Short mmCIF file of all heavy atoms in Angstrom, two decimals:
data_model
loop_
_atom_site.label_atom_id
_atom_site.label_comp_id
_atom_site.label_asym_id
_atom_site.label_seq_id
_atom_site.Cartn_x
_atom_site.Cartn_y
_atom_site.Cartn_z
N ILE A 1668 -43.32 -67.76 76.35
CA ILE A 1668 -44.41 -68.38 77.14
C ILE A 1668 -45.65 -68.53 76.30
O ILE A 1668 -46.33 -69.56 76.33
CB ILE A 1668 -44.68 -67.54 78.40
CG1 ILE A 1668 -43.45 -67.59 79.33
CG2 ILE A 1668 -45.93 -68.03 79.12
CD1 ILE A 1668 -43.58 -66.68 80.53
N PHE A 1669 -45.95 -67.47 75.52
CA PHE A 1669 -47.14 -67.52 74.68
C PHE A 1669 -47.04 -68.65 73.65
O PHE A 1669 -47.99 -69.43 73.45
CB PHE A 1669 -47.31 -66.17 73.97
CG PHE A 1669 -48.46 -66.12 73.01
CD1 PHE A 1669 -49.77 -66.02 73.47
CD2 PHE A 1669 -48.24 -66.20 71.64
CE1 PHE A 1669 -50.82 -65.99 72.57
CE2 PHE A 1669 -49.28 -66.17 70.75
CZ PHE A 1669 -50.59 -66.07 71.22
N CYS A 1670 -45.90 -68.77 73.02
CA CYS A 1670 -45.71 -69.83 72.03
C CYS A 1670 -45.80 -71.21 72.69
O CYS A 1670 -46.36 -72.16 72.12
CB CYS A 1670 -44.36 -69.66 71.33
SG CYS A 1670 -44.27 -68.20 70.27
N PHE A 1671 -45.27 -71.36 73.89
CA PHE A 1671 -45.31 -72.64 74.60
C PHE A 1671 -46.75 -73.03 74.91
O PHE A 1671 -47.13 -74.20 74.75
CB PHE A 1671 -44.49 -72.54 75.89
CG PHE A 1671 -44.49 -73.80 76.70
CD1 PHE A 1671 -43.69 -74.89 76.33
CD2 PHE A 1671 -45.30 -73.93 77.82
CE1 PHE A 1671 -43.70 -76.06 77.07
CE2 PHE A 1671 -45.32 -75.09 78.56
CZ PHE A 1671 -44.52 -76.18 78.20
N CYS A 1672 -47.55 -72.06 75.32
CA CYS A 1672 -48.96 -72.35 75.62
C CYS A 1672 -49.72 -72.80 74.38
O CYS A 1672 -50.51 -73.75 74.42
CB CYS A 1672 -49.63 -71.12 76.24
SG CYS A 1672 -48.98 -70.70 77.87
N ILE A 1673 -49.49 -72.10 73.27
CA ILE A 1673 -50.17 -72.49 72.02
C ILE A 1673 -49.75 -73.90 71.61
O ILE A 1673 -50.58 -74.74 71.21
CB ILE A 1673 -49.83 -71.49 70.91
CG1 ILE A 1673 -50.41 -70.10 71.23
CG2 ILE A 1673 -50.36 -71.96 69.56
CD1 ILE A 1673 -51.92 -70.08 71.31
N LEU A 1674 -48.48 -74.21 71.75
CA LEU A 1674 -47.99 -75.53 71.38
C LEU A 1674 -48.60 -76.60 72.27
O LEU A 1674 -49.02 -77.67 71.78
CB LEU A 1674 -46.46 -75.55 71.47
CG LEU A 1674 -45.78 -76.87 71.12
CD1 LEU A 1674 -46.06 -77.23 69.66
CD2 LEU A 1674 -44.29 -76.78 71.36
N ALA A 1675 -48.67 -76.34 73.56
CA ALA A 1675 -49.24 -77.31 74.49
C ALA A 1675 -50.71 -77.57 74.19
O ALA A 1675 -51.20 -78.70 74.27
CB ALA A 1675 -49.07 -76.81 75.93
N PHE A 1676 -51.43 -76.51 73.85
CA PHE A 1676 -52.85 -76.65 73.54
C PHE A 1676 -53.05 -77.58 72.34
O PHE A 1676 -53.89 -78.48 72.36
CB PHE A 1676 -53.44 -75.26 73.26
CG PHE A 1676 -54.87 -75.29 72.82
CD1 PHE A 1676 -55.90 -75.57 73.73
CD2 PHE A 1676 -55.20 -75.06 71.50
CE1 PHE A 1676 -57.21 -75.60 73.30
CE2 PHE A 1676 -56.51 -75.08 71.08
CZ PHE A 1676 -57.53 -75.36 71.99
N PHE A 1677 -52.24 -77.36 71.28
CA PHE A 1677 -52.41 -78.21 70.10
C PHE A 1677 -51.94 -79.64 70.36
O PHE A 1677 -52.48 -80.60 69.80
CB PHE A 1677 -51.63 -77.61 68.91
CG PHE A 1677 -52.37 -76.50 68.23
CD1 PHE A 1677 -52.05 -75.19 68.48
CD2 PHE A 1677 -53.41 -76.78 67.35
CE1 PHE A 1677 -52.73 -74.16 67.86
CE2 PHE A 1677 -54.10 -75.77 66.73
CZ PHE A 1677 -53.77 -74.46 66.98
N VAL A 1678 -50.98 -79.84 71.23
CA VAL A 1678 -50.54 -81.21 71.58
C VAL A 1678 -51.64 -81.97 72.29
O VAL A 1678 -51.91 -83.14 72.02
CB VAL A 1678 -49.26 -81.14 72.45
CG1 VAL A 1678 -48.96 -82.50 73.05
CG2 VAL A 1678 -48.08 -80.67 71.61
N VAL A 1679 -52.34 -81.30 73.21
CA VAL A 1679 -53.44 -81.94 73.93
C VAL A 1679 -54.53 -82.33 72.96
O VAL A 1679 -55.10 -83.43 73.03
CB VAL A 1679 -53.97 -81.00 75.03
CG1 VAL A 1679 -55.25 -81.55 75.63
CG2 VAL A 1679 -52.92 -80.83 76.12
N LEU A 1680 -54.89 -81.44 72.04
CA LEU A 1680 -55.93 -81.76 71.05
C LEU A 1680 -55.52 -82.95 70.20
O LEU A 1680 -56.32 -83.84 69.89
CB LEU A 1680 -56.17 -80.55 70.15
CG LEU A 1680 -56.91 -79.35 70.78
CD1 LEU A 1680 -57.08 -78.25 69.75
CD2 LEU A 1680 -58.28 -79.78 71.31
N TRP A 1681 -54.24 -82.97 69.81
CA TRP A 1681 -53.79 -84.07 68.95
C TRP A 1681 -53.83 -85.40 69.67
O TRP A 1681 -54.25 -86.41 69.12
CB TRP A 1681 -52.36 -83.74 68.50
CG TRP A 1681 -51.75 -84.86 67.69
CD1 TRP A 1681 -51.99 -85.17 66.41
CD2 TRP A 1681 -50.80 -85.81 68.17
NE1 TRP A 1681 -51.26 -86.25 66.02
CE2 TRP A 1681 -50.50 -86.67 67.09
CE3 TRP A 1681 -50.17 -86.01 69.42
CZ2 TRP A 1681 -49.61 -87.72 67.20
CZ3 TRP A 1681 -49.28 -87.05 69.52
CH2 TRP A 1681 -49.00 -87.89 68.42
N ARG A 1682 -53.44 -85.44 70.93
CA ARG A 1682 -53.41 -86.69 71.68
C ARG A 1682 -54.82 -87.21 71.92
O ARG A 1682 -55.10 -88.40 71.80
CB ARG A 1682 -52.68 -86.49 73.01
CG ARG A 1682 -51.17 -86.23 72.84
CD ARG A 1682 -50.47 -86.14 74.16
NE ARG A 1682 -50.57 -87.42 74.88
CZ ARG A 1682 -50.11 -87.61 76.12
NH1 ARG A 1682 -49.54 -86.59 76.77
NH2 ARG A 1682 -50.21 -88.80 76.70
N ASN A 1683 -55.74 -86.32 72.29
CA ASN A 1683 -57.12 -86.76 72.53
C ASN A 1683 -57.76 -87.26 71.24
O ASN A 1683 -58.50 -88.25 71.24
CB ASN A 1683 -57.94 -85.62 73.13
CG ASN A 1683 -57.53 -85.34 74.58
OD1 ASN A 1683 -57.01 -86.22 75.26
ND2 ASN A 1683 -57.76 -84.12 75.03
N GLY A 1684 -57.50 -86.58 70.15
CA GLY A 1684 -58.07 -87.03 68.87
C GLY A 1684 -57.54 -88.39 68.50
O GLY A 1684 -58.25 -89.24 67.98
N LYS A 1685 -56.29 -88.61 68.78
CA LYS A 1685 -55.69 -89.91 68.44
C LYS A 1685 -56.30 -91.02 69.29
O LYS A 1685 -56.54 -92.13 68.82
CB LYS A 1685 -54.18 -89.82 68.64
CG LYS A 1685 -53.42 -91.06 68.19
CD LYS A 1685 -51.93 -90.85 68.34
CE LYS A 1685 -51.18 -92.09 67.87
NZ LYS A 1685 -49.73 -91.95 68.01
N ARG A 1686 -56.60 -90.72 70.58
CA ARG A 1686 -57.19 -91.74 71.47
C ARG A 1686 -58.57 -92.12 71.00
O ARG A 1686 -58.96 -93.29 71.01
CB ARG A 1686 -57.23 -91.19 72.89
CG ARG A 1686 -57.80 -92.19 73.92
CD ARG A 1686 -57.67 -91.63 75.31
NE ARG A 1686 -58.40 -90.40 75.45
CZ ARG A 1686 -59.73 -90.37 75.68
NH1 ARG A 1686 -60.43 -91.48 75.75
NH2 ARG A 1686 -60.32 -89.20 75.81
N CYS A 1687 -59.37 -91.18 70.56
CA CYS A 1687 -60.73 -91.47 70.10
C CYS A 1687 -60.70 -92.29 68.82
O CYS A 1687 -61.55 -93.16 68.60
CB CYS A 1687 -61.50 -90.18 69.87
SG CYS A 1687 -61.89 -89.28 71.38
N ASN A 1688 -59.74 -92.03 67.95
CA ASN A 1688 -59.68 -92.77 66.69
C ASN A 1688 -59.28 -94.22 66.89
O ASN A 1688 -59.53 -95.07 66.06
CB ASN A 1688 -58.67 -92.09 65.74
CG ASN A 1688 -59.20 -90.76 65.24
OD1 ASN A 1688 -60.41 -90.56 65.20
ND2 ASN A 1688 -58.29 -89.86 64.88
N LYS A 1689 -58.63 -94.56 68.03
CA LYS A 1689 -58.21 -95.94 68.28
C LYS A 1689 -59.34 -96.81 68.82
O LYS A 1689 -59.17 -98.01 68.96
CB LYS A 1689 -57.05 -95.93 69.28
CG LYS A 1689 -55.74 -95.43 68.65
CD LYS A 1689 -54.60 -95.52 69.66
CE LYS A 1689 -53.31 -95.07 69.02
NZ LYS A 1689 -52.18 -95.14 69.98
N ILE A 1690 -60.47 -96.30 69.16
CA ILE A 1690 -61.60 -97.11 69.68
C ILE A 1690 -62.15 -97.97 68.56
O ILE A 1690 -62.43 -97.48 67.48
CB ILE A 1690 -62.69 -96.20 70.25
CG1 ILE A 1690 -62.10 -95.35 71.40
CG2 ILE A 1690 -63.89 -97.00 70.74
CD1 ILE A 1690 -63.09 -94.35 71.96
N LEU A 1691 -62.27 -99.26 68.81
CA LEU A 1691 -62.79 -100.19 67.80
C LEU A 1691 -64.25 -99.88 67.49
O LEU A 1691 -64.96 -99.30 68.31
CB LEU A 1691 -62.68 -101.64 68.31
CG LEU A 1691 -61.23 -102.11 68.54
CD1 LEU A 1691 -61.25 -103.52 69.16
CD2 LEU A 1691 -60.45 -102.10 67.26
N PRO A 1692 -64.71 -100.35 66.28
CA PRO A 1692 -66.10 -100.05 65.88
C PRO A 1692 -67.11 -100.58 66.87
O PRO A 1692 -68.08 -99.89 67.17
CB PRO A 1692 -66.22 -100.75 64.53
CG PRO A 1692 -64.82 -100.74 63.99
CD PRO A 1692 -63.96 -100.95 65.17
N GLN A 1693 -66.85 -101.81 67.38
CA GLN A 1693 -67.82 -102.34 68.32
C GLN A 1693 -67.75 -101.64 69.65
O GLN A 1693 -68.66 -101.75 70.47
CB GLN A 1693 -67.60 -103.87 68.52
CG GLN A 1693 -66.24 -104.23 69.10
CD GLN A 1693 -65.17 -104.42 68.03
OE1 GLN A 1693 -65.35 -103.92 66.92
NE2 GLN A 1693 -64.12 -105.15 68.35
N GLU A 1694 -66.65 -100.89 69.84
CA GLU A 1694 -66.53 -100.18 71.10
C GLU A 1694 -66.92 -98.72 70.97
O GLU A 1694 -66.78 -97.95 71.92
CB GLU A 1694 -65.07 -100.26 71.60
CG GLU A 1694 -64.61 -101.68 71.91
CD GLU A 1694 -63.16 -101.71 72.31
OE1 GLU A 1694 -62.49 -100.64 72.15
OE2 GLU A 1694 -62.68 -102.75 72.77
N GLN A 1695 -67.37 -98.34 69.73
CA GLN A 1695 -67.75 -96.94 69.55
C GLN A 1695 -68.90 -96.61 70.46
O GLN A 1695 -69.88 -97.36 70.56
CB GLN A 1695 -68.18 -96.69 68.09
CG GLN A 1695 -67.01 -96.68 67.10
CD GLN A 1695 -66.12 -95.49 67.28
OE1 GLN A 1695 -66.57 -94.48 67.79
NE2 GLN A 1695 -64.87 -95.66 66.93
N PRO A 1696 -68.80 -95.48 71.17
CA PRO A 1696 -69.89 -95.08 72.08
C PRO A 1696 -71.13 -94.70 71.29
O PRO A 1696 -71.04 -94.16 70.20
CB PRO A 1696 -69.30 -93.88 72.82
CG PRO A 1696 -68.25 -93.33 71.88
CD PRO A 1696 -67.71 -94.50 71.15
N GLN A 1697 -72.21 -95.06 71.84
CA GLN A 1697 -73.48 -94.70 71.20
C GLN A 1697 -73.70 -93.20 71.33
O GLN A 1697 -73.24 -92.55 72.26
CB GLN A 1697 -74.62 -95.46 71.88
CG GLN A 1697 -74.52 -96.97 71.68
CD GLN A 1697 -75.71 -97.67 72.31
OE1 GLN A 1697 -76.57 -97.03 72.90
NE2 GLN A 1697 -75.75 -98.99 72.18
N LYS A 1698 -74.47 -92.73 70.30
CA LYS A 1698 -74.74 -91.30 70.28
C LYS A 1698 -75.57 -90.91 71.48
O LYS A 1698 -76.53 -91.60 71.81
CB LYS A 1698 -75.47 -90.91 69.00
CG LYS A 1698 -74.58 -91.01 67.76
CD LYS A 1698 -75.30 -90.51 66.54
CE LYS A 1698 -74.41 -90.59 65.32
NZ LYS A 1698 -75.06 -90.10 64.12
N GLY A 1699 -75.13 -89.82 72.07
CA GLY A 1699 -75.88 -89.30 73.23
C GLY A 1699 -75.33 -89.78 74.54
O GLY A 1699 -75.72 -89.28 75.58
N THR A 1700 -74.41 -90.81 74.48
CA THR A 1700 -73.86 -91.31 75.73
C THR A 1700 -72.78 -90.36 76.22
O THR A 1700 -72.31 -89.46 75.51
CB THR A 1700 -73.27 -92.72 75.53
OG1 THR A 1700 -72.19 -92.60 74.58
CG2 THR A 1700 -74.31 -93.67 75.01
N GLU A 1701 -72.30 -90.62 77.43
CA GLU A 1701 -71.28 -89.76 78.05
C GLU A 1701 -69.95 -89.84 77.30
O GLU A 1701 -69.27 -88.84 77.12
CB GLU A 1701 -71.08 -90.18 79.51
CG GLU A 1701 -70.25 -89.17 80.32
CD GLU A 1701 -70.93 -87.84 80.47
OE1 GLU A 1701 -72.19 -87.79 80.42
OE2 GLU A 1701 -70.22 -86.82 80.58
N SER A 1702 -69.61 -91.07 76.84
CA SER A 1702 -68.34 -91.25 76.10
C SER A 1702 -68.36 -90.49 74.79
O SER A 1702 -67.36 -89.88 74.37
CB SER A 1702 -68.08 -92.74 75.85
OG SER A 1702 -67.97 -93.42 77.08
N ASP A 1703 -69.51 -90.53 74.12
CA ASP A 1703 -69.63 -89.80 72.84
C ASP A 1703 -69.47 -88.30 73.05
O ASP A 1703 -68.83 -87.61 72.28
CB ASP A 1703 -70.99 -90.11 72.20
CG ASP A 1703 -71.18 -89.33 70.91
OD1 ASP A 1703 -70.35 -89.52 69.97
OD2 ASP A 1703 -72.11 -88.51 70.84
#
Side-chain angles (χ1 to χ4, degrees):
I1668 294 174
F1669 176 76
C1670 292
F1671 179 77
C1672 293
I1673 294 297
L1674 180 62
F1676 176 74
F1677 279 101
V1678 168
V1679 171
L1680 288 181
W1681 176 76
R1682 292 184 63 184
N1683 289 335
K1685 186 176 181 181
R1686 181 174 60 82
C1687 291
N1688 290 335
K1689 287 183 178 180
I1690 300 176
L1691 296 175
Q1693 62 272 21
E1694 297 176 350
Q1695 287 291 335
Q1697 295 183 358
K1698 291 185 179 181
T1700 63
E1701 192 65 26
S1702 299
D1703 178 59

